[in-house]
Amino acid sequence: MLTPITVTLAATTLGSIAVGMGWVLGWANRTFHVEVDPKVDAILAALPGANCGGCGYVGCSDYAEAVARGEAPISLCPPGGAGTAAALASIMGVEVGETLPYRAVIHCSATLQQRLKRTAYRGEPTCAAANLVAGVQGCTYGCLGLGDCMRACDYDAIEVVDGLARIDYRKCIGCKACAKACPRNIISMVPFKADRIMIVGCSNKDFGPVVKEVCSIGCIGCKACTKATDLFTMKDNLPVLDYDRYDPAAVNMQPAIDKCPMESLVYVGKPSRQDLAAVAAEDLPNRVEADFKTTVDDTEWRG
Amino acid sequence: MDTIGSLILIFISAALINNFVLHYFVGICPFLGVSRRIDTAFGMGCAVTFVIAIAATLSWIFTYFILRPGAPLPGWVWTQLGGDPAVTINLSVLSYIVYIFVIASSVQFVEMYVRRFFPPLYKSFGVFLPLITTNCAILFACLLIMQNLADPKALWGLHQALALAVGGGVGFTIAIVLMAGIREELDLADVPRPLRGAGVALVVAGILAMAFMGFTGMDKGIETAFSSLLK
């Protein structure tokens, strides 16, 4: 007799509490409604959502709010590039300026064999640690090849081959993570006006004889390239390429390359036809790409 | 003991002696998850204290009038239906589901309210407020209050329930802010690699809990002090 009554009472109690709470919440939802700027949602939807911080804001939503308030330019998103900038421009109703994709470049082009005066290093296998030790390699400016940038890259775009870090520009999104990670600060962000652009592939600020002792291809500061074209200016014994004026499609840089006695002016980006033809006969090793769906493991096993 | 004295005792007991986090080990998830920086930890503590007070008030009302054995509302319905008034109706089986219900909807309500009237607070709470819904410290406070409403001879009033809830919230805030302060310093310490992160946080939490064991027995001292004060 008592049980069905208790059950009925329990059901009624719960039901009436549910109705009461639902009514209160529904009322609150209407009364406390907050108008959110629809632009913020639209901008957030147009952004890639990588939350990489390349724009300088905390994340995509922070940048979206700044854009909606009109405080930030629409062109700051490196992963989104021109497409995102155009989408943001149509949302905000402003004109798109020219946005260039900024990509990381490594200002060192010497492989392990070309960097001289190296000693065996058996310490912590990171560039940050090796950079603290004197005498790991003769060149105190160049790449150490222990891959701090590779580990900093969330997009798997950096790879160390022959002791030199190399960037895969099909994967690089320009988030600056590698530039921040490099203890020698030899990675900089450069506007890619074309698929293939020229960079100065050396960071050694020493005078010629000193450089020749530590590297077989390093820049000796001979200023030959500045005489061949006016795009270069010398700073700290290194040529600096003026990317504002440098246009790979219009300017022929071949005279400067011919004048350079070392091999310090290099092209990065998409390989040219000649480059591809030169290695056409070589066999490509089978590449094993990480499958991010199944393997997330950055353990460093050090025996 | 007078009423004020017992309220103070309940408050201190919930805040320090029987600290929710460091004595009963409830509310560990936010205690470990949101204790990386002192200001966010303090924000979380304040949010929990706020919600715990609201949830305790609501759950006291529901328990006192509906859920406890011999509660007036179902008893009245029972007699209206022609039942025997001597029979006690006991709906305390519903307590868990009703408490979760109450906590979830009060958190929702608080979130909407804060969003409307205190946007900066909402921005800093942002992620934490929905998290509080699943904070077991709040359910634990409700269940403690239910325990003290189970015995018809020693029923707690709303003021005692509120003292317990606010004390528990303050205790949670103390614990999480202490933890955040330690963890901020811990970031600079050279912790062995296998212990980094959650490992050393749990070790620190254990040591902190041991330190809080030192408050045990403090209630007797406070009681003596009160009684001698009143004489």
Side-chain angles (χ1 to χ4, degrees):
Chain A
M1 177 57 199
L2 195 61
T3 316
I5 291 292
T6 315
V7 168
T8 322
L9 274 177
T12 324
T13 312
L14 271 186
S16 44
I17 292 176
V19 170
M21 287 288 182
W23 188 81
V24 168
L25 285 182
W27 170 80
N29 197 18
R30 260 185 295 113
T31 316
F32 300 149
H33 185 67
V34 180
E35 290 293 336
V36 181
D37 191 350
K39 272 182 188 169
V40 175
D41 287 335
I43 291 169
L44 203 53
L47 288 172
N51 285 320
C52 66
C55 52
Y57 288 87
V58 177
C60 289
S61 61
D62 205 22
Y63 177 56
E65 277 173 26
V67 171
R69 282 197 304 269
E71 289 170 7
I74 52 164
S75 57
L76 288 186
C77 184
T84 299
L88 295 197
S90 69
I91 293 167
M92 294 298 292
V94 292
E95 291 286 312
V96 207
E98 193 195 5
T99 56
L100 292 166
Y102 274 73
R103 297 289 181 257
V105 295
I106 297 171
H107 294 285
C108 179
S109 51
T111 60
L112 214 52
Q113 292 75 35
Q114 289 160 332
R115 301 202 291 265
L116 310 174
K117 290 198 176 171
R118 286 183 58 85
T119 44
Y121 170 72
R122 291 199 186 83
E124 184 91 346
T126 63
C127 303
N131 193 32
L132 300 173
V133 186
V136 174
Q137 73 183 20
C139 180
T140 53
Y141 298 92
C143 180
L144 283 159
L146 291 166
D148 279 11
C149 47
M150 185 173 73
R151 283 183 288 273
C153 184
D154 281 340
Y155 301 90
D156 211 20
I158 302 184
E159 172 167 23
V160 177
V161 182
D162 295 335
L164 176 64
R166 293 148 203 258
I167 296 173
D168 184 345
Y169 290 99
R170 288 169 301 183
K171 292 178 183 168
C172 179
I173 63 155
C175 69
K176 291 185 202 168
C178 51
K180 286 176 200 153
C182 181
R184 294 199 155 177
N185 294 318
I186 58 168
I187 304 180
S188 71
M189 308 304 292
V190 156
F192 269 55
K193 287 184 185 169
D195 287 342
R196 187 166 178 270
I197 64 156
M198 174 177 276
I199 62 161
V200 178
C202 184
S203 304
N204 200 317
K205 295 179 175 138
D206 287 334
F207 291 102
V210 185
V211 178
K212 281 202 161 168
E213 273 179 30
V214 296
C215 187
S216 58
I217 63 158
C219 171
I220 52 172
C222 67
K223 301 179 189 164
C225 48
T226 57
K227 286 165 196 142
T229 163
D230 63 341
L231 290 175
F232 289 103
T233 47
M234 292 304 286
K235 194 189 170 200
D236 298 333
N237 284 322
L238 279 172
V240 178
L241 182 47
D242 183 356
Y243 284 101
D244 290 337
R245 289 189 291 138
Y246 169 58
D247 185 0
V251 186
N252 183 17
M253 297 300 264
Q254 201 53 44
I257 295 176
D258 292 341
K259 287 275 184 203
C260 183
M262 308 307 275
E263 296 165 30
S264 289
L265 299 178
V266 288
Y267 277 106
V268 295
K270 206 175 175 184
S272 68
R273 279 216 194 107
Q274 290 93 325
D275 294 342
L276 288 174
V279 293
E282 290 178 20
D283 279 336
L284 283 178
N286 275 335
R287 289 185 62 94
V288 180
E289 297 274 336
D291 181 3
F292 290 110
K293 284 185 297 246
T294 55
T295 314
V296 179
D297 185 8
D298 51 7
T299 321
E300 288 166 48
W301 172 248
R302 287 167 188 173
Chain B
M1 285 299 285
D2 59 325
T3 326
I4 301 288
S6 84
L7 284 186
I8 292 174
L9 213 59
I10 289 172
F11 182 87
I12 291 175
S13 162
L16 294 176
I17 306 164
N18 295 338
N19 189 294
F20 280 12
V21 180
L22 298 171
H23 183 265
Y24 288 114
F25 297 110
V26 292
I28 292 289
C29 347
F31 178 66
L32 292 178
V34 200
S35 59
R36 288 192 188 281
R37 281 172 53 214
I38 288 180
D39 48 348
T40 51
F42 186 71
M44 183 70 183
C46 291
V48 166
T49 311
F50 188 46
V51 174
I52 218 171
I54 290 170
T57 312
L58 287 175
S59 71
W60 183 87
I61 292 168
F62 280 115
T63 318
Y64 190 86
F65 290 107
I66 301 171
L67 298 178
R68 72 186 166 97
L73 212 58
W76 177 78
V77 174
W78 171 240
T79 43
Q80 287 299 306
L81 292 172
D84 180 7
V87 178
T88 6
I89 302 287
N90 188 356
L91 289 180
S92 54
V93 282
L94 292 179
S95 52
Y96 280 80
I97 191 166
V98 167
Y99 292 156
I100 289 175
F101 209 78
V102 164
I103 294 167
S105 34
S106 60
V107 168
Q108 283 286 314
F109 186 84
V110 166
E111 189 179 353
M112 284 189 250
Y113 184 79
V114 169
R115 189 173 184 193
R116 178 79 172 82
F117 293 108
F118 308 100
L121 199 65
Y122 176 77
K123 218 178 166 190
S124 53
F125 275 0
V127 197
F128 308 140
L129 268 178
L131 278 180
I132 296 174
T133 319
T134 53
N135 187 338
C136 40
I138 293 167
L139 183 63
F140 182 73
C142 294
L143 292 175
L144 271 186
I145 291 163
M146 185 194 76
Q147 262 180 20
N148 286 297
L149 285 170
D151 182 10
K153 288 187 198 95
L155 281 181
W156 267 22
L158 182 58
H159 50 297
Q160 282 153 316
L162 265 178
L164 175 90
V166 176
V170 168
F172 181 85
T173 312
I174 292 173
I176 198 170
V177 169
L178 280 179
M179 186 68 179
I182 296 173
R183 284 182 83 174
E184 276 189 0
E185 296 294 318
L186 215 57
D187 284 343
L188 308 172
D190 186 18
V191 181
R193 206 178 163 85
L195 279 179
R196 270 179 209 169
V200 79
L202 283 169
V203 171
V204 166
I207 296 172
L208 213 54
M210 282 205 282
F212 266 69
M213 276 171 68
F215 288 121
T216 314
M218 206 171 89
D219 49 342
K220 284 277 172 259
I222 295 173
E223 218 167 339
T224 326
F226 271 129
S227 48
S228 62
L229 211 66
L230 288 173
K231 265 173 201 167

